[in-house]
Short mmCIF file of all heavy atoms in Angstrom, two decimals:
data_model
loop_
_atom_site.label_atom_id
_atom_site.label_comp_id
_atom_site.label_asym_id
_atom_site.label_seq_id
_atom_site.Cartn_x
_atom_site.Cartn_y
_atom_site.Cartn_z
N GLU A 1 -46.02 49.20 -18.50
CA GLU A 1 -45.35 50.47 -18.19
C GLU A 1 -45.99 51.24 -17.08
O GLU A 1 -45.36 51.54 -16.02
CB GLU A 1 -45.31 51.32 -19.49
CG GLU A 1 -44.49 50.74 -20.62
CD GLU A 1 -44.47 51.52 -21.81
OE1 GLU A 1 -44.35 52.81 -21.71
OE2 GLU A 1 -44.57 51.09 -22.99
N VAL A 2 -47.26 51.57 -17.22
CA VAL A 2 -47.90 52.46 -16.26
C VAL A 2 -48.04 51.83 -14.90
O VAL A 2 -47.73 52.42 -13.84
CB VAL A 2 -49.31 52.88 -16.77
CG1 VAL A 2 -50.04 53.70 -15.72
CG2 VAL A 2 -49.17 53.67 -18.07
N ILE A 3 -48.57 50.62 -14.80
CA ILE A 3 -48.90 50.02 -13.52
C ILE A 3 -47.53 49.71 -12.77
O ILE A 3 -47.49 50.05 -11.59
CB ILE A 3 -49.64 48.63 -13.78
CG1 ILE A 3 -51.05 49.07 -14.17
CG2 ILE A 3 -49.75 47.83 -12.50
CD1 ILE A 3 -51.95 47.88 -14.47
N PRO A 4 -46.47 49.08 -13.33
CA PRO A 4 -45.22 48.96 -12.55
C PRO A 4 -44.60 50.27 -12.13
O PRO A 4 -44.09 50.36 -11.02
CB PRO A 4 -44.31 48.22 -13.58
CG PRO A 4 -45.26 47.57 -14.51
CD PRO A 4 -46.39 48.49 -14.68
N ALA A 5 -44.64 51.30 -13.00
CA ALA A 5 -44.04 52.60 -12.68
C ALA A 5 -44.82 53.29 -11.47
O ALA A 5 -44.17 53.86 -10.67
CB ALA A 5 -44.12 53.49 -13.89
N GLY A 6 -46.14 53.01 -11.41
CA GLY A 6 -46.85 53.66 -10.34
C GLY A 6 -46.93 52.82 -9.08
O GLY A 6 -47.46 53.27 -8.04
N GLY A 7 -46.42 51.58 -9.12
CA GLY A 7 -46.50 50.60 -7.99
C GLY A 7 -47.92 50.24 -7.75
O GLY A 7 -48.27 49.90 -6.61
N TYR A 8 -48.70 50.11 -8.85
CA TYR A 8 -50.05 49.66 -8.70
C TYR A 8 -50.16 48.18 -8.70
O TYR A 8 -49.22 47.45 -9.06
CB TYR A 8 -50.94 50.33 -9.82
CG TYR A 8 -50.84 51.77 -9.90
CD1 TYR A 8 -50.62 52.46 -11.14
CD2 TYR A 8 -50.79 52.57 -8.72
CE1 TYR A 8 -50.46 53.82 -11.22
CE2 TYR A 8 -50.67 53.99 -8.79
CZ TYR A 8 -50.47 54.56 -10.08
OH TYR A 8 -50.38 55.92 -10.07
N ARG A 9 -51.31 47.65 -8.48
CA ARG A 9 -51.49 46.19 -8.36
C ARG A 9 -52.51 45.65 -9.39
O ARG A 9 -53.65 46.16 -9.49
CB ARG A 9 -52.00 45.80 -6.92
CG ARG A 9 -52.21 44.30 -6.72
CD ARG A 9 -52.58 44.01 -5.29
NE ARG A 9 -53.88 44.53 -4.87
CZ ARG A 9 -54.93 43.88 -4.99
NH1 ARG A 9 -55.07 42.74 -5.63
NH2 ARG A 9 -56.13 44.42 -4.51
N ILE A 10 -52.09 44.62 -10.04
CA ILE A 10 -53.02 43.92 -11.12
C ILE A 10 -53.62 42.76 -10.39
O ILE A 10 -52.98 41.93 -9.76
CB ILE A 10 -52.18 43.44 -12.26
CG1 ILE A 10 -51.51 44.59 -13.13
CG2 ILE A 10 -53.01 42.57 -13.24
CD1 ILE A 10 -50.66 44.22 -14.20
N GLU A 11 -54.94 42.67 -10.53
CA GLU A 11 -55.71 41.49 -10.10
C GLU A 11 -55.73 40.47 -11.20
O GLU A 11 -55.58 39.26 -11.01
CB GLU A 11 -57.11 41.90 -9.67
CG GLU A 11 -57.97 40.64 -9.22
CD GLU A 11 -59.23 41.09 -8.60
OE1 GLU A 11 -59.26 42.11 -7.81
OE2 GLU A 11 -60.26 40.47 -8.97
N TYR A 12 -56.03 40.93 -12.44
CA TYR A 12 -56.14 40.01 -13.49
C TYR A 12 -55.88 40.64 -14.82
O TYR A 12 -56.21 41.87 -15.00
CB TYR A 12 -57.59 39.37 -13.57
CG TYR A 12 -57.72 38.29 -14.60
CD1 TYR A 12 -57.12 37.02 -14.50
CD2 TYR A 12 -58.46 38.58 -15.79
CE1 TYR A 12 -57.27 36.12 -15.39
CE2 TYR A 12 -58.59 37.63 -16.74
CZ TYR A 12 -57.99 36.33 -16.59
OH TYR A 12 -58.15 35.41 -17.55
N ALA A 13 -55.18 40.00 -15.79
CA ALA A 13 -54.87 40.55 -17.02
C ALA A 13 -54.96 39.42 -18.08
O ALA A 13 -54.40 38.33 -17.80
CB ALA A 13 -53.50 41.24 -17.07
N THR A 14 -55.52 39.71 -19.26
CA THR A 14 -55.51 38.75 -20.26
C THR A 14 -55.54 39.47 -21.63
O THR A 14 -56.19 40.53 -21.80
CB THR A 14 -56.79 37.86 -20.22
OG1 THR A 14 -56.77 36.98 -21.37
CG2 THR A 14 -58.09 38.70 -20.24
N ALA A 15 -54.75 38.89 -22.62
CA ALA A 15 -54.72 39.47 -23.87
C ALA A 15 -55.85 39.00 -24.84
O ALA A 15 -55.94 39.43 -25.99
CB ALA A 15 -53.29 39.22 -24.56
N ASP A 16 -56.63 38.06 -24.30
CA ASP A 16 -57.77 37.50 -25.08
C ASP A 16 -58.82 37.09 -24.12
O ASP A 16 -58.86 35.99 -23.64
CB ASP A 16 -57.31 36.26 -25.88
CG ASP A 16 -58.37 35.90 -26.95
OD1 ASP A 16 -59.49 36.36 -26.94
OD2 ASP A 16 -58.01 35.10 -27.88
N LEU A 17 -59.70 38.06 -23.79
CA LEU A 17 -60.70 37.91 -22.81
C LEU A 17 -61.61 36.67 -23.01
O LEU A 17 -61.86 35.93 -22.05
CB LEU A 17 -61.62 39.13 -22.72
CG LEU A 17 -62.88 39.14 -21.85
CD1 LEU A 17 -62.37 38.99 -20.35
CD2 LEU A 17 -63.60 40.40 -21.96
N TYR A 18 -61.99 36.36 -24.21
CA TYR A 18 -62.96 35.29 -24.44
C TYR A 18 -62.30 33.95 -24.72
O TYR A 18 -63.05 32.99 -25.05
CB TYR A 18 -63.91 35.75 -25.58
CG TYR A 18 -64.75 36.92 -25.18
CD1 TYR A 18 -64.43 38.17 -25.60
CD2 TYR A 18 -65.86 36.82 -24.34
CE1 TYR A 18 -65.16 39.29 -25.21
CE2 TYR A 18 -66.58 37.83 -23.89
CZ TYR A 18 -66.27 39.17 -24.36
OH TYR A 18 -66.95 40.27 -23.96
N ALA A 19 -61.01 33.86 -24.67
CA ALA A 19 -60.33 32.66 -24.84
C ALA A 19 -60.62 31.68 -23.71
O ALA A 19 -60.44 30.48 -23.83
CB ALA A 19 -58.85 32.83 -25.04
N THR A 20 -60.89 32.26 -22.55
CA THR A 20 -61.22 31.45 -21.34
C THR A 20 -62.56 31.66 -20.94
O THR A 20 -62.99 32.74 -20.45
CB THR A 20 -60.19 31.89 -20.14
OG1 THR A 20 -58.88 31.76 -20.60
CG2 THR A 20 -60.49 30.98 -18.91
N PRO A 21 -63.50 30.73 -21.04
CA PRO A 21 -64.92 30.81 -20.61
C PRO A 21 -64.97 31.13 -19.11
O PRO A 21 -64.29 30.49 -18.32
CB PRO A 21 -65.51 29.52 -20.96
CG PRO A 21 -64.63 28.85 -22.00
CD PRO A 21 -63.22 29.35 -21.71
N ALA A 22 -65.71 32.06 -18.76
CA ALA A 22 -65.84 32.49 -17.35
C ALA A 22 -66.29 31.35 -16.47
O ALA A 22 -65.82 31.19 -15.36
CB ALA A 22 -66.79 33.68 -17.20
N ASP A 23 -67.20 30.46 -16.96
CA ASP A 23 -67.63 29.40 -16.14
C ASP A 23 -66.66 28.31 -15.84
O ASP A 23 -66.79 27.46 -15.00
CB ASP A 23 -69.01 28.80 -16.68
CG ASP A 23 -68.83 28.30 -18.11
OD1 ASP A 23 -67.67 28.28 -18.61
OD2 ASP A 23 -69.81 27.87 -18.70
N SER A 24 -65.52 28.36 -16.62
CA SER A 24 -64.49 27.38 -16.39
C SER A 24 -63.44 27.90 -15.31
O SER A 24 -62.61 27.09 -14.95
CB SER A 24 -63.71 27.19 -17.69
OG SER A 24 -62.89 28.23 -18.08
N ARG A 25 -63.54 29.22 -14.99
CA ARG A 25 -62.63 29.77 -13.95
C ARG A 25 -63.44 30.42 -12.87
O ARG A 25 -63.46 31.70 -12.77
CB ARG A 25 -61.63 30.66 -14.62
CG ARG A 25 -60.68 29.95 -15.56
CD ARG A 25 -59.79 28.95 -14.84
NE ARG A 25 -59.08 29.50 -13.76
CZ ARG A 25 -57.90 30.06 -13.82
NH1 ARG A 25 -57.26 30.15 -14.92
NH2 ARG A 25 -57.24 30.48 -12.67
N PRO A 26 -64.24 29.78 -12.03
CA PRO A 26 -64.99 30.38 -11.00
C PRO A 26 -64.07 31.08 -9.98
O PRO A 26 -64.53 31.87 -9.16
CB PRO A 26 -65.72 29.25 -10.37
CG PRO A 26 -65.03 28.03 -10.69
CD PRO A 26 -64.45 28.30 -12.01
N ASP A 27 -62.81 30.74 -9.98
CA ASP A 27 -61.81 31.41 -9.07
C ASP A 27 -61.41 32.78 -9.48
O ASP A 27 -60.76 33.48 -8.78
CB ASP A 27 -60.53 30.46 -8.95
CG ASP A 27 -59.90 30.29 -10.32
OD1 ASP A 27 -60.63 29.98 -11.32
OD2 ASP A 27 -58.67 30.41 -10.46
N ILE A 28 -61.90 33.13 -10.76
CA ILE A 28 -61.59 34.56 -11.18
C ILE A 28 -62.95 35.26 -11.40
O ILE A 28 -63.41 35.32 -12.52
CB ILE A 28 -60.79 34.49 -12.53
CG1 ILE A 28 -59.54 33.62 -12.33
CG2 ILE A 28 -60.32 35.95 -12.92
CD1 ILE A 28 -58.71 33.47 -13.61
N PRO A 29 -63.60 35.80 -10.41
CA PRO A 29 -64.97 36.34 -10.54
C PRO A 29 -64.99 37.52 -11.57
O PRO A 29 -65.93 37.79 -12.19
CB PRO A 29 -65.33 36.74 -9.16
CG PRO A 29 -64.05 36.84 -8.36
CD PRO A 29 -63.11 35.76 -8.99
N CYS A 30 -63.85 38.22 -11.68
CA CYS A 30 -63.89 39.42 -12.50
C CYS A 30 -63.95 38.98 -14.01
O CYS A 30 -64.36 39.81 -14.85
CB CYS A 30 -62.68 40.35 -12.31
SG CYS A 30 -61.04 39.59 -12.70
N LEU A 31 -63.60 37.75 -14.30
CA LEU A 31 -63.68 37.28 -15.67
C LEU A 31 -65.13 37.21 -16.13
O LEU A 31 -65.50 37.66 -17.20
CB LEU A 31 -63.04 35.89 -15.77
CG LEU A 31 -62.72 35.30 -17.19
CD1 LEU A 31 -61.79 36.29 -17.81
CD2 LEU A 31 -62.12 33.95 -17.03
N ALA A 32 -66.00 36.73 -15.26
CA ALA A 32 -67.45 36.66 -15.57
C ALA A 32 -67.95 38.06 -15.69
O ALA A 32 -68.81 38.38 -16.53
CB ALA A 32 -68.18 35.90 -14.48
N GLU A 33 -67.53 38.99 -14.84
CA GLU A 33 -67.95 40.34 -14.84
C GLU A 33 -67.63 41.00 -16.18
O GLU A 33 -68.49 41.77 -16.71
CB GLU A 33 -67.33 41.08 -13.63
CG GLU A 33 -67.79 42.53 -13.50
CD GLU A 33 -67.19 43.15 -12.26
OE1 GLU A 33 -66.17 42.68 -11.80
OE2 GLU A 33 -67.73 44.16 -11.84
N ALA A 34 -66.41 40.75 -16.69
CA ALA A 34 -65.99 41.42 -17.82
C ALA A 34 -66.63 40.79 -19.08
O ALA A 34 -66.73 41.51 -20.15
CB ALA A 34 -64.46 41.24 -18.06
N GLN A 35 -67.10 39.54 -18.97
CA GLN A 35 -67.66 38.88 -20.19
C GLN A 35 -69.18 39.02 -20.25
O GLN A 35 -69.80 38.75 -21.29
CB GLN A 35 -67.34 37.43 -20.15
CG GLN A 35 -65.89 37.08 -20.50
CD GLN A 35 -65.57 35.61 -20.49
OE1 GLN A 35 -66.46 34.74 -20.47
NE2 GLN A 35 -64.28 35.24 -20.55
N MET A 36 -69.82 39.54 -19.13
CA MET A 36 -71.27 39.42 -19.05
C MET A 36 -71.96 40.42 -19.99
O MET A 36 -73.20 40.36 -20.26
CB MET A 36 -71.80 39.59 -17.59
CG MET A 36 -71.57 40.86 -16.97
SD MET A 36 -72.28 41.02 -15.34
CE MET A 36 -71.56 39.64 -14.52
N THR A 37 -71.29 41.49 -20.44
CA THR A 37 -71.95 42.45 -21.33
C THR A 37 -70.90 43.02 -22.24
O THR A 37 -69.72 43.00 -21.97
CB THR A 37 -72.63 43.58 -20.52
OG1 THR A 37 -73.37 44.39 -21.44
CG2 THR A 37 -71.56 44.48 -19.82
N GLN A 38 -71.38 43.44 -23.42
CA GLN A 38 -70.46 43.90 -24.41
C GLN A 38 -70.94 45.28 -25.04
O GLN A 38 -72.19 45.54 -25.08
CB GLN A 38 -70.40 42.94 -25.63
CG GLN A 38 -69.94 41.54 -25.23
CD GLN A 38 -70.06 40.50 -26.30
OE1 GLN A 38 -70.61 40.75 -27.33
NE2 GLN A 38 -69.50 39.31 -26.00
N THR A 39 -69.99 46.08 -25.41
CA THR A 39 -70.34 47.37 -26.09
C THR A 39 -70.58 47.18 -27.51
O THR A 39 -70.35 46.11 -28.06
CB THR A 39 -69.21 48.46 -25.92
OG1 THR A 39 -68.12 47.99 -26.72
CG2 THR A 39 -68.74 48.53 -24.45
N PHE A 40 -71.15 48.15 -28.17
CA PHE A 40 -71.42 48.18 -29.61
C PHE A 40 -70.03 47.82 -30.33
O PHE A 40 -70.02 47.05 -31.22
CB PHE A 40 -71.95 49.50 -30.00
CG PHE A 40 -71.88 49.72 -31.53
CD1 PHE A 40 -72.97 49.18 -32.32
CD2 PHE A 40 -71.02 50.42 -32.13
CE1 PHE A 40 -72.99 49.29 -33.68
CE2 PHE A 40 -70.96 50.60 -33.54
CZ PHE A 40 -72.00 50.03 -34.30
N TYR A 41 -69.07 48.60 -29.97
CA TYR A 41 -67.72 48.38 -30.66
C TYR A 41 -67.17 47.03 -30.38
O TYR A 41 -66.49 46.40 -31.17
CB TYR A 41 -66.75 49.47 -30.17
CG TYR A 41 -67.17 50.82 -30.71
CD1 TYR A 41 -67.62 51.82 -29.88
CD2 TYR A 41 -67.00 51.12 -32.12
CE1 TYR A 41 -67.97 53.02 -30.46
CE2 TYR A 41 -67.26 52.36 -32.60
CZ TYR A 41 -67.82 53.30 -31.79
OH TYR A 41 -68.13 54.50 -32.34
N GLU A 42 -67.33 46.50 -29.14
CA GLU A 42 -66.86 45.20 -28.74
C GLU A 42 -67.44 44.12 -29.66
O GLU A 42 -66.81 43.24 -30.20
CB GLU A 42 -67.10 44.92 -27.31
CG GLU A 42 -66.54 43.60 -26.83
CD GLU A 42 -66.71 43.49 -25.28
OE1 GLU A 42 -67.31 44.36 -24.71
OE2 GLU A 42 -66.27 42.45 -24.76
N ARG A 43 -68.74 44.19 -29.84
CA ARG A 43 -69.48 43.21 -30.72
C ARG A 43 -68.96 43.36 -32.17
O ARG A 43 -68.79 42.36 -32.87
CB ARG A 43 -70.99 43.45 -30.65
CG ARG A 43 -71.60 43.17 -29.31
CD ARG A 43 -73.10 43.15 -29.39
NE ARG A 43 -73.63 44.49 -29.68
CZ ARG A 43 -73.93 45.37 -28.77
NH1 ARG A 43 -73.75 45.14 -27.47
NH2 ARG A 43 -74.40 46.60 -29.07
N MET A 44 -68.68 44.53 -32.57
CA MET A 44 -68.10 44.77 -33.94
C MET A 44 -66.73 44.15 -34.09
O MET A 44 -66.44 43.43 -35.08
CB MET A 44 -68.09 46.27 -34.24
CG MET A 44 -67.57 46.60 -35.63
SD MET A 44 -67.69 48.32 -35.96
CE MET A 44 -66.37 48.94 -34.79
N TYR A 45 -65.90 44.30 -33.09
CA TYR A 45 -64.52 43.83 -33.05
C TYR A 45 -64.55 42.29 -33.01
O TYR A 45 -63.77 41.60 -33.68
CB TYR A 45 -63.71 44.39 -31.89
CG TYR A 45 -63.45 45.82 -32.00
CD1 TYR A 45 -63.53 46.60 -30.86
CD2 TYR A 45 -63.29 46.48 -33.23
CE1 TYR A 45 -63.28 47.98 -30.88
CE2 TYR A 45 -63.05 47.91 -33.30
CZ TYR A 45 -63.08 48.61 -32.11
OH TYR A 45 -62.95 50.03 -32.13
#
């Protein structure tokens, strides 16, 4: 909703971040960036 309405650009989107190991997709550097650290709530979830 928000991104298409604003004309913004998506680089990467996933509904399950850890379903794809970052080292299996070196072509998506932001995947490793997103997986390299976790918040307290993230670990709980």
Side-chain angles (χ1 to χ4, degrees):
E1 297 183 38
V2 176
I3 290 177
Y8 307 136
R9 179 172 67 87
I10 294 176
E11 178 175 315
Y12 184 74
T14 176
D16 191 348
L17 174 61
Y18 296 99
T20 304
D23 57 8
S24 71
R25 294 300 305 270
D27 57 315
I28 309 176
C30 65
L31 194 59
E33 185 178 19
Q35 292 183 6
M36 67 174 55
T37 189
Q38 298 171 355
T39 70
F40 168 81
Y41 290 107
E42 185 173 0
R43 292 190 294 272
M44 182 176 68
Y45 296 142

